[in-house]
Amino acid sequence: MKLIRNLIPGMIALALVACGGGTSVKPEAGKPAPTTQKPAPKKGGYYLDDGPGDNPPADIDNIPDAVPRAETPLPRATRPYSALGRRYTPLSEHTPYKQRGVASWYGKRYHGQKTSSGEVYDMYAMTGAHTILPLPSYVRVTNPENGRSVIVRINDRGPFHDNRLIDLSYAAAYKLRLIEKGSGIVDVEALDEHGRPITTAAAPQTAPAPAPAPAPTEIAPGNLPNVMNEPVTNPPITGAYVQVGAFSVKANGDRLVDTLQQNKLADNVQVENWYNAGTYRVRLGPYSSRQQAEAAAEKIKQTLNTNAIVVYQ
């Protein structure tokens, strides 16, 4: 293991040369610390001196999501590169992409450092790192365990662990409630400049195929790359719902339910103010298909000028 630790810095340097960007690539946030450091405790500890900042914003949940807009991928970020013994071929176009996998996060250790796109990493901005998605690009990240969803700007490369799909900023992970776990299962979907899923029937012939993500059923609880090394479950999908709001006070959710009914936005499905894990979530469903749920979410957005997301239960 000591030999492997000594080799990793050199391998990461080779990855930087392959990228051609001359910018830093973050090591794994969940990688064990050098033997000179004390091991992190089972609860509340972070490897590599990472973790929350000393003076976080008063209400991180109110930090706005990234706003998608039309951007051209950086040419240097489309070049094939290698990291930790594996070769990656980034996408050169904004193409359909949807995967489920493990998300991890990085915080104060990398705050203020340059990302692979040349931008400065801000742990309180809504950003993320991905091995092959265009830099920059935008994705919606959803935590299927609690239905929380955020939009982040992909501006960095990583993570390079086989069982990880995406690295998130501290703020994005906080809003998804992944901070305490260190990592968790998420759904990642590429968005166009209007914030809608990219649904082109076929990717351009010149675009390289994305590397396959590990199937969730292959993730063993004892081998998870999170800082706490705790099991991450993959909840079964049994139906599509539209979540319109999440509240700490039940009365706020009840008022939203009344508004939905008064505007005839819940005529054909059940609408409920569902309580789970300290939060009241207003959701409609189940819908018989994802397409029906997305159509209902879009109608709610247009009618009430509020956010509505498709979640699975």
Side-chain angles (χ1 to χ4, degrees):
M1 293 298 295
K2 183 176 181 181
L3 176 60
I4 293 175
R5 291 194 191 97
N6 292 335
L7 287 176
I8 287 178
M11 298 174 75
I12 293 178
L14 288 176
L16 293 179
V17 174
C19 285
T23 53
S24 61
V25 176
K26 297 178 178 60
E28 295 302 321
K31 191 187 305 176
T35 55
T36 56
Q37 288 184 322
K38 294 181 180 180
K42 179 66 178 175
K43 295 289 184 182
Y46 303 92
Y47 285 112
L48 298 173
D49 296 326
D50 204 356
D54 296 329
N55 298 296
D59 191 351
I60 297 177
D61 278 328
N62 281 338
I63 294 176
D65 283 359
V67 179
R69 57 191 177 93
E71 295 192 70
T72 302
L74 296 171
R76 69 173 184 272
T78 64
R79 301 170 185 167
Y81 67 97
S82 298
L84 302 183
R86 185 172 178 179
R87 188 168 178 81
Y88 299 90
T89 302
L91 296 170
S92 58
E93 302 283 345
H94 296 291
T95 62
Y97 180 92
K98 186 172 185 180
Q99 292 285 352
R100 170 171 285 191
V102 175
S104 49
W105 61 271
Y106 43 93
K108 66 181 181 180
R109 181 179 177 87
Y110 309 108
H111 188 66
Q113 296 186 20
K114 279 192 175 183
T115 64
S116 297
S117 65
E119 300 172 2
V120 174
Y121 171 60
D122 181 352
M123 63 186 291
Y124 300 120
M126 299 297 289
T127 60
H130 196 278
T131 54
I132 64 167
L133 286 175
L135 300 183
S137 60
Y138 297 86
V139 297
R140 180 177 293 280
V141 184
T142 302
N143 182 346
E145 184 178 348
N146 56 27
R148 288 179 173 268
S149 179
V150 298
I151 296 176
V152 301
R153 173 185 167 92
I154 300 298
N155 68 350
D156 202 6
R157 287 291 178 227
F160 299 115
H161 193 288
D162 286 343
N163 286 341
R164 293 189 191 180
L165 179 63
I166 190 172
D167 261 340
L168 298 170
S169 66
Y170 176 81
Y174 181 95
K175 292 175 72 172
L176 290 173
R177 300 300 185 260
L178 297 177
I179 295 299
E180 294 301 324
K181 290 183 177 181
S183 67
I185 294 291
V186 297
D187 293 317
V188 177
E189 186 167 26
L191 303 178
D192 63 18
E193 64 269 27
H194 304 294
R196 299 181 298 225
I198 301 176
T199 56
T200 306
Q205 295 298 314
T206 56
T217 54
E218 297 175 2
I219 299 176
N223 297 324
L224 291 175
N226 60 358
V227 296
M228 303 305 178
N229 200 28
E230 295 177 349
V232 173
T233 58
N234 184 9
I237 295 175
T238 58
Y241 292 78
V242 174
Q243 180 175 305
V244 189
F247 307 94
S248 59
V249 179
K250 182 177 184 297
N252 293 337
D254 290 340
R255 281 193 290 270
L256 180 55
V257 169
D258 291 339
T259 300
L260 289 166
Q261 292 173 336
Q262 291 170 7
N263 285 273
K264 301 185 182 301
L265 296 172
D267 287 348
N268 301 319
V269 294
Q270 179 182 356
V271 57
E272 60 181 348
N273 190 12
W274 177 57
Y275 179 81
N276 183 48
T279 303
Y280 293 91
R281 296 178 175 85
V282 176
R283 65 179 191 176
L284 302 86
Y287 293 88
S288 59
S289 68
R290 175 184 171 185
Q291 289 73 20
Q292 288 186 1
E294 289 179 342
E298 185 63 27
K299 184 177 180 180
I300 291 171
K301 291 177 185 177
Q302 294 177 358
T303 304
L304 301 182
N305 193 27
T306 188
N307 191 33
I309 61 173
V310 177
V311 298
Y312 299 95
Q313 180 69 24

